[in-house]
Amino acid sequence: MRYPSDLTDEEWALIEPMILPAKHGGRHRSVNLREITNGIMYVLSTGCQWRAIPTDLPPTTTVFSYLNLWMSDGTLEHMHDALYLQCRALAGRTPCPSACIIDSQSVKSTEKGGPHIDPVGYDAGKRIKGKKRHILVDMLGLLVQGLVHPADLQDRDGGALLLATLLGRWPCLKKLFADAAYQGPLFKQSVAELLPELVIEIVKRSDQAKGFILLPKRWIVERTLGWLNRCRRLAKDFENLAATALTFLKLASIRLMLRKLCNPI
């Protein structure tokens, strides 16, 4: 392995069958898909500019083109779901989670602008101008669903948008743990319309508490955010499009699950 971000043989053996073959007709595919994946993982892990990819990896344009291709044809989505089910099975859990935790993270945006850039927002509570990552994790801390939107969107509204993207994919989901930002009738009403059987439990911090306190269930999602932020591409909002930012969030989750499956100790 040239770089710590390179896939091991065991990791590549897991995801290689999930990559769609080349289309019929025309010129045969000549690129090494494992090297393409290593290039994507290098950008994810180091947070470097696309043009700063080392020359011993495939060309920048090739790596970026395959990332866009796998975003659009559903390869990365299928890969994430397949690895998620394998991680659940390895932990002795059922494929469909029955309880999840929701939380958000505001991230500063870098200098960028133009007509084709997704807008950013200002999170007045955290004094951050950028995007907000909304994530839904199961009790193992594995990413179930993610969403990226402007930081000025309130947690209760962003949480409702996140749950709306589930589209009935997890019918066993019955319990949702959240912090005080999601309390109130507006979020409750939105959830009741989207998922009538979902019960919301707000885990509050005591008013008398001082300093750091480990809150039940909420520490799981905070730990997941810590895991994902080990990938330096997520240190700031570098992406022009929210869809690309969400792709890197899921790539970080894919990287995490690969490590769990291939290094279970």
Side-chain angles (χ1 to χ4, degrees):
M1 293 173 59
R2 296 156 300 176
Y3 307 106
S5 59
D6 285 354
L7 297 177
T8 64
D9 293 339
E10 294 81 4
E11 292 171 347
W12 176 243
L14 275 179
I15 66 173
E16 182 182 14
M18 305 175 192
I19 298 176
L20 296 176
K23 295 180 179 179
H24 294 291
R27 185 178 173 186
H28 292 290
R29 179 181 281 167
S30 59
V31 298
N32 187 328
L33 292 182
R34 182 171 181 178
E35 288 296 283
I36 295 292
T37 310
N38 284 338
I40 294 173
M41 291 298 180
Y42 183 88
V43 175
L44 172 70
S45 299
T46 64
C48 72
Q49 301 96 326
W50 283 103
R51 61 181 179 272
I53 295 178
T55 54
D56 55 351
L57 289 168
T60 298
T61 54
T62 306
V63 176
F64 186 73
S65 296
Y66 269 89
L67 176 64
N68 282 333
L69 173 65
W70 292 343
M71 282 171 51
S72 59
D73 67 6
T75 296
L76 294 178
E77 189 75 23
H78 169 67
M79 188 183 298
H80 186 277
D81 291 347
L83 294 175
Y84 176 75
L85 295 178
Q86 292 183 43
C87 285
R88 295 275 301 180
L90 182 65
R93 301 295 185 96
T94 59
C96 182
S98 59
C100 286
I101 312 106
I102 191 173
D103 203 358
S104 67
Q105 178 190 42
S106 295
V107 188
K108 291 183 180 179
S109 286
T110 55
E111 301 83 358
K112 51 193 173 184
H116 302 293
I117 307 299
D118 284 343
V120 299
Y122 182 72
D123 185 345
K126 298 181 180 178
R127 299 181 181 179
I128 290 177
K129 181 181 180 181
K131 300 280 183 62
K132 184 177 287 188
R133 300 176 187 140
H134 245 106
I135 65 171
L136 188 71
V137 303
D138 63 10
M139 305 310 290
L140 299 175
L142 301 176
L143 181 67
V144 176
Q145 190 75 346
L147 183 68
V148 177
H149 55 75
D152 57 354
L153 192 64
Q154 299 233 2
D155 281 358
R156 63 172 184 264
D157 301 323
L161 287 177
L162 175 63
L163 295 176
T165 62
L166 293 179
L167 300 174
R169 294 178 59 196
W170 308 106
C172 301
L173 187 59
K174 304 298 181 185
K175 192 71 174 286
L176 179 68
F177 296 96
D179 59 25
Y182 300 89
Q183 65 182 349
L186 294 179
F187 181 69
K188 187 175 182 180
Q189 180 180 356
S190 299
V191 173
E193 294 174 358
L194 295 168
L195 302 168
E197 298 181 358
L198 189 64
V199 178
I200 304 171
E201 180 175 330
I202 303 298
V203 182
K204 294 184 179 180
R205 175 187 172 91
S206 174
D207 295 334
Q208 288 76 30
K210 295 182 179 180
F212 173 76
I213 292 180
L214 193 66
L215 298 175
K217 305 296 186 300
R218 278 176 54 182
W219 67 270
I220 298 176
V221 67
E222 297 290 350
R223 181 187 61 180
T224 300
L225 289 171
W227 283 342
L228 299 177
N229 283 332
R230 292 175 182 174
C231 298
R232 293 193 174 185
R233 190 72 183 187
L234 302 182
K236 285 189 176 182
D237 171 39
F238 294 105
E239 316 309 325
N240 292 334
L241 302 178
T244 309
L246 179 59
T247 296
F248 274 107
L249 181 66
K250 292 196 173 182
L251 279 170
S253 179
I254 288 173
R255 178 177 179 266
L256 171 65
M257 291 188 290
L258 283 174
R259 300 290 171 87
K260 285 182 175 293
L261 290 170
C262 298
N263 302 281
I265 298 178

